[in-house]
Amino acid sequence: MKALVYEGPEALVLRDVPDPLPGSGHAVPPGQPGGTDTLITVKAVGICGSDMHAYLGHDERRPAPLILGHEAAGITADGRRVTVNPLVVDANCPFSQSGRTNLSQTRQIISMPPRPGAFAEIISMPEENLVDVPSDFSLEKSALAEPLAVCWHAARLGQPEGKSALVIGGGAIGVGSALSLLAQGATHVTLVEPNAARLAYLQDQPFDAVEPDKATGFFDLVVDAVGYEGTRATASAQVMPGGTILHVGLGSGAGGLDIRRMTLQEVTFIGTYAYTAQDFRDTCAAMFEGRLGALDWTETRSLADGPQAFADIRAGRVAAPKILLKP
Amino acid sequence: MKALVYEGPEALVLRDVPDPLPGSGHAVPPGQPGGTDTLITVKAVGICGSDMHAYLGHDERRPAPLILGHEAAGITADGRRVTVNPLVVDANCPFSQSGRTNLSQTRQIISMPPRPGAFAEIISMPEENLVDVPSDFSLEKSALAEPLAVCWHAARLGQPEGKSALVIGGGAIGVGSALSLLAQGATHVTLVEPNAARLAYLQDQPFDAVEPDKATGFFDLVVDAVGYEGTRATASAQVMPGGTILHVGLGSGAGGLDIRRMTLQEVTFIGTYAYTAQDFRDTCAAMFEGRLGALDWTETRSLADGPQAFADIRAGRVAAPKILLKP
């Protein structure tokens, strides 16, 4: 099959690789073949910030050569249209048994060894990771299930019913968080984004999208979908006394929070990562029922154009929060 | 009356000041006399870390000359034995109306203008701030209600039932947090304290008290009762994936947290401050019923010896986590 292979920093090459075999994706624990895995012909796969991070050579967990990509939807060998939960967890892990599958310390994700990613024509996944897509719902939009599940999970941890929210960052995670907060009952969501082209692109969404200095005052919830010192400083300055920061960005590892204010004003900070298996299913249901909006904020390119897409994202030339590649 | 007056950095003087008049303590909003306030003859008053902070000239909210002290118990003019909630809040504040009185932005505390503190023979307080003390319970131990309420509130936010906990710091807030966590159902509490004399003093308490490098592994809850970069680094390294840091210390204003780990492992950080009026009453009930232990970790001195007590605490010469002064 053809796959887009990461061969080193800023080097992506579309080339022939061996087809995966059913069960070749290695079920947990590593080394035991997952004989029940299903082959899926990929029809759409999103480019994530973590793919960009790896592409730049900044992720030691993703050494070259490697097939990146983990936001996939496609068709099984028996013709079912499915979207794919890329997190593979051991059901016997204590975290899994308490329902918090995202915390499993033995979790695997496609695009990280030993599991190859989805910038490819075919992937191999356990059957329980597949969610059927209704016949009237596009497979391209279905490929948004994974980033939206990250957002749905983050929003859920903030218990947004009846609350106001500020979302920092207009990438897919910021946009998905704003939509998830509204779907889960937030009264009003303001999203801030400094890139003028991205901001213009987001004007027709069901939340307010404004320049960063236009969002003033306090908010019950603040989602930091960027995760650098500056955005954390904004989050800890603009969260309401007694309010909550949902921190889903992985920009930098430390600094920025005004911990004195957070202590005196009883602010909660929740680091949020990935999603549970139930969150993934709930997100799919919300998406299929239209509760997450029109999902019209993507741009589609061919898998062969992947290297150019990465270069364009890196240069800030892409207005859409998400590029989908079609093998 | 006699009062211990803070007259400038490291200058405390016992001298005569005018007696307070009933209602002189200024009910909220400031400037409107609280005509219903009650006079209390102080029988015991604790020295808090925030008193030490002010004594060193580090608290701009507490300018000299000022009577410090806010952890008081005593006897009303009509002979009732009471302990005192020193936080005075406007019942009409939106935070008060949602039960989160500690978040009221117009809250006042005795020892901060316009309300004089309790290192004095007499204080004036609203009737609703008083909790009656059972006849068989000492007024000295009752003066621990305020710091214990801070701890009770922090523990409550961590939902400790069935959880393991690490408490960083063996001062009154650390000790009170350990006791509150156990009273609220924590399965096991380990407290770390670097001062050898303090550590030896705490060996008979119902929690494990050990040197910092003796507490290894992960804990569902970590209470940072110190609040410096180093203790926050420990907290964010030793909290369980999916666990919670309760941050009740006010040592430094920023830094120390491993935010990358907190995000990837879904750690929650809760800044916690003061207590609600209900927390204060619940703490008193727990204290009176013996659920917070023997409360035998105090040392009592006369109010006249207050200046020496401050100097001894500052020099690290006090093994007991709490010094109580008796006017």
Side-chain angles (χ1 to χ4, degrees):
Chain A
M1 68 171 179
K2 294 285 188 193
L4 199 60
V5 182
Y6 164 63
E7 298 199 329
E10 303 190 48
L12 285 174
V13 178
L14 188 75
R15 61 175 169 82
D16 287 304
V17 300
D19 281 10
L21 299 172
S24 64
H26 302 294
V28 173
Q32 295 184 9
T36 62
D37 283 13
T38 299
L39 293 184
I40 300 116
T41 301
V42 178
K43 292 298 182 185
V45 51
I47 299 176
C48 171
S50 64
D51 294 317
M52 178 58 62
H53 195 64
Y55 162 77
L56 296 174
H58 297 164
D59 188 348
E60 62 188 16
R61 303 169 306 171
R62 289 180 166 103
L66 182 68
I67 303 172
L68 300 172
H70 60 271
E71 305 176 355
I75 300 178
T76 62
D78 58 357
R80 289 161 48 217
R81 303 167 75 248
V82 296
T83 187
V84 177
N85 178 347
L87 283 182
V88 181
V89 296
D90 179 354
N92 295 317
C93 161
F95 290 106
S96 298
Q97 297 205 322
S98 70
R100 302 179 77 176
T101 49
N102 61 316
L103 299 180
S104 170
Q105 301 299 293
T106 56
R107 70 187 172 224
Q108 297 182 338
I109 186 168
I110 61 171
S111 77
M112 201 181 287
R115 292 189 173 270
F119 291 149
E121 291 179 304
I122 306 172
I123 57 174
S124 170
M125 285 300 289
E127 177 61 34
E128 62 265 29
N129 283 54
L130 308 182
V131 174
D132 288 331
V133 175
S135 58
D136 60 350
F137 199 87
S138 87
L139 282 178
E140 288 185 26
K141 290 183 182 179
S142 300
L144 293 173
E146 201 276 345
L148 288 172
V150 170
C151 304
W152 185 269
H153 177 75
R156 178 168 68 77
L157 297 184
Q159 302 176 48
E161 178 80 32
K163 295 180 182 173
S164 64
L166 173 68
V167 174
I168 303 172
I173 297 298
V175 169
S177 295
L179 296 171
S180 295
L181 289 164
L182 288 168
Q184 293 181 35
T187 53
H188 190 89
V189 176
T190 302
L191 179 148
V192 290
E193 166 58 48
N195 180 310
R198 174 74 51 86
L199 191 56
Y201 188 93
L202 295 174
Q203 289 309 305
D204 294 331
Q205 297 299 321
F207 46 82
D208 286 342
V210 301
E211 294 169 57
D213 62 358
K214 294 293 195 301
T216 56
F218 295 107
F219 299 82
D220 297 321
L221 296 174
V222 181
V223 175
D224 186 344
V226 181
Y228 280 98
E229 287 89 327
T231 55
R232 285 193 286 268
T234 298
S236 58
Q238 290 200 252
V239 63
M240 192 79 78
T244 298
I245 297 168
L246 298 164
H247 190 265
V248 67
L250 287 169
S252 71
L257 292 175
D258 180 349
I259 293 178
R260 185 170 178 82
R261 176 173 189 254
M262 291 170 68
T263 304
L264 290 174
Q265 307 226 321
E266 205 158 283
V267 168
T268 295
F269 169 102
I270 303 179
T272 160
Y273 186 70
Y275 39 80
T276 67
Q278 187 61 48
D279 286 322
F280 192 90
R281 291 187 290 265
D282 291 344
T283 303
C284 288
M287 185 171 70
F288 299 151
E289 292 164 10
R291 288 185 279 132
L292 289 170
L295 304 177
D296 54 359
W297 36 270
T298 64
E299 178 187 330
T300 302
R301 304 189 187 186
S302 71
L303 185 63
D305 291 336
Q308 186 62 46
F310 272 78
D312 287 347
I313 293 170
R314 197 194 173 186
R317 288 190 295 258
V318 181
K322 179 64 68 181
I323 289 183
L324 300 173
L325 300 179
K326 289 179 73 75
Chain B
M1 67 171 179
K2 295 285 188 193
L4 199 61
V5 181
Y6 164 63
E7 298 199 328
E10 302 191 48
L12 286 173
V13 179
L14 188 74
R15 63 175 168 83
D16 287 305
V17 300
D19 281 11
L21 298 172
S24 64
H26 302 295
V28 174
Q32 295 185 9
T36 63
D37 283 14
T38 299
L39 293 184
I40 300 115
T41 300
V42 178
K43 291 299 180 185
V45 50
I47 298 176
C48 172
S50 64
D51 295 317
M52 178 59 61
H53 195 64
Y55 162 79
L56 295 174
H58 296 164
D59 188 349
E60 63 187 16
R61 302 170 305 171
R62 289 180 165 103
L66 182 67
I67 304 172
L68 300 172
H70 60 272
E71 304 177 354
I75 300 178
T76 62
D78 58 357
R80 289 161 49 217
R81 302 168 77 246
V82 296
T83 187
V84 177
N85 178 347
L87 283 182
V88 182
V89 296
D90 179 353
N92 295 317
C93 160
F95 290 106
S96 298
Q97 297 205 322
S98 70
R100 302 180 78 175
T101 49
N102 60 316
L103 299 181
S104 171
Q105 301 299 292
T106 56
R107 69 185 174 226
Q108 297 181 339
I109 187 167
I110 61 171
S111 75
M112 200 181 286
R115 292 189 173 270
F119 292 148
E121 291 179 304
I122 306 171
I123 57 173
S124 170
M125 285 300 288
E127 177 61 33
E128 62 264 29
N129 283 55
L130 309 183
V131 173
D132 288 331
V133 175
S135 58
D136 60 350
F137 200 88
S138 87
L139 282 178
E140 289 185 26
K141 290 182 182 180
S142 301
L144 292 173
E146 201 276 345
L148 287 173
V150 170
C151 304
W152 185 269
H153 177 75
R156 178 168 68 77
L157 297 184
Q159 304 178 45
E161 178 80 33
K163 295 180 182 173
S164 64
L166 173 68
V167 175
I168 304 172
I173 297 297
V175 169
S177 295
L179 296 171
S180 295
L181 288 163
L182 289 169
Q184 294 181 34
T187 52
H188 191 88
V189 176
T190 302
L191 179 147
V192 291
E193 166 59 48
N195 179 310
R198 173 73 52 86
L199 192 56
Y201 188 93
L202 295 174
Q203 289 309 305
D204 295 331
Q205 296 300 320
F207 47 80
D208 285 342
V210 300
E211 294 170 55
D213 62 358
K214 294 292 195 302
T216 55
F218 294 107
F219 300 82
D220 297 321
L221 296 174
V222 181
V223 176
D224 185 345
V226 181
Y228 280 98
E229 287 89 329
T231 55
R232 285 192 287 269
T234 298
S236 56
Q238 290 199 254
V239 64
M240 192 80 79
T244 299
I245 297 168
L246 298 163
H247 190 265
V248 67
L250 287 169
S252 70
L257 292 175
D258 180 349
I259 293 179
R260 186 171 177 82
R261 175 172 191 255
M262 291 171 67
T263 304
L264 290 173
Q265 308 227 321
E266 206 157 283
V267 168
T268 295
F269 169 102
I270 304 179
T272 161
Y273 186 69
Y275 39 81
T276 67
Q278 187 61 48
D279 286 321
F280 192 90
R281 291 187 291 266
D282 291 345
T283 304
C284 289
M287 185 171 68
F288 299 152
E289 292 165 10
R291 288 186 278 133
L292 289 169
L295 304 177
D296 54 0
W297 36 270
T298 65
E299 178 187 331
T300 302
R301 305 190 187 185
S302 72
L303 186 63
D305 291 335
Q308 186 62 47
F310 272 78
D312 287 347
I313 293 170
R314 196 194 173 185
R317 288 190 294 260
V318 181
K322 178 65 70 182
I323 289 184
L324 300 172
L325 300 179
K326 289 179 72 74

